[in-house]
Amino acid sequence: MKGQPRDVGAAKVGMNIAPDVLVNGLKRYRRIAKQDLLATSLSAHPEAAQIHAEARREVYAELAERAQTLSSDAVILHALELYTALPFVSGCAPLEQPFIQGREQALENFFVLVGLEPKIRRNARSKRKQLETRGQA
């Protein structure tokens, strides 16, 4: 059912984005992450910056690979699944969870790229679990 809205929790995704537009946008984001990766040595916290940039590049590469063979809706739904599966780390310090924060930023950038309704993103975000840390009861 190409072009038909698909259920994502309480929202619908019915986007029809050309695969080449999706792939090219993801390639641009990936290049930006690569530039950030090359500049990590200039950061105050190079290890965290490197992990963050690598996490973003991985997400963009995975989504671009899927965009070459799947519909834009299928890629968006996969991105929403990845986003929902991420632990919620908003209360963490910026350097505390750079891998998770990098993936989160990449997915949120992707949602902007495809023009995903904020309501759909908020719905996916509300399903995320809080990060469990050691020593908590």
Side-chain angles (χ1 to χ4, degrees):
M1 288 189 177
K2 200 171 191 177
Q4 295 292 327
R6 299 214 19 217
D7 191 18
V8 182
K12 305 274 184 198
V13 173
M15 310 184 89
N16 196 8
I17 301 167
D20 59 326
V21 171
L22 206 52
V23 170
N24 287 336
L26 287 163
K27 282 182 182 178
R28 282 189 203 108
Y29 278 145
R30 194 165 179 218
R31 282 191 291 260
I32 292 168
K34 183 176 182 177
Q35 290 172 352
D36 290 347
L37 187 60
L38 294 172
T40 58
S41 64
L42 304 174
S43 171
H45 304 281
E47 286 182 33
Q50 180 177 354
I51 293 167
H52 191 279
E54 287 173 348
R56 290 180 11 238
R57 285 192 78 216
E58 288 173 12
V59 169
Y60 299 141
E62 178 182 346
L63 295 176
E65 186 176 314
R66 285 178 176 267
Q68 293 175 5
T69 58
L70 300 174
S71 70
S72 56
D73 268 1
V75 177
I76 294 166
L77 288 171
H78 178 69
L80 284 165
E81 289 170 4
L82 292 174
Y83 190 69
T84 302
L86 283 175
F88 197 70
V89 295
S90 288
C92 294
L95 301 174
E96 209 170 300
Q97 297 292 334
F99 179 77
I100 295 169
Q101 291 175 344
R103 291 183 67 81
E104 179 181 48
Q105 183 181 11
L107 291 164
E108 289 177 351
N109 287 344
F110 174 74
F111 299 148
V112 170
L113 171 71
V114 299
L116 187 70
E117 292 179 37
K119 177 182 175 182
I120 297 172
R121 187 186 59 80
R122 282 192 306 268
N123 183 45
R125 186 176 179 87
S126 72
K127 295 177 183 177
R128 291 170 57 186
K129 306 269 189 254
Q130 188 68 31
L131 179 68
E132 292 184 27
T133 57
R134 294 182 207 186
Q136 286 186 339

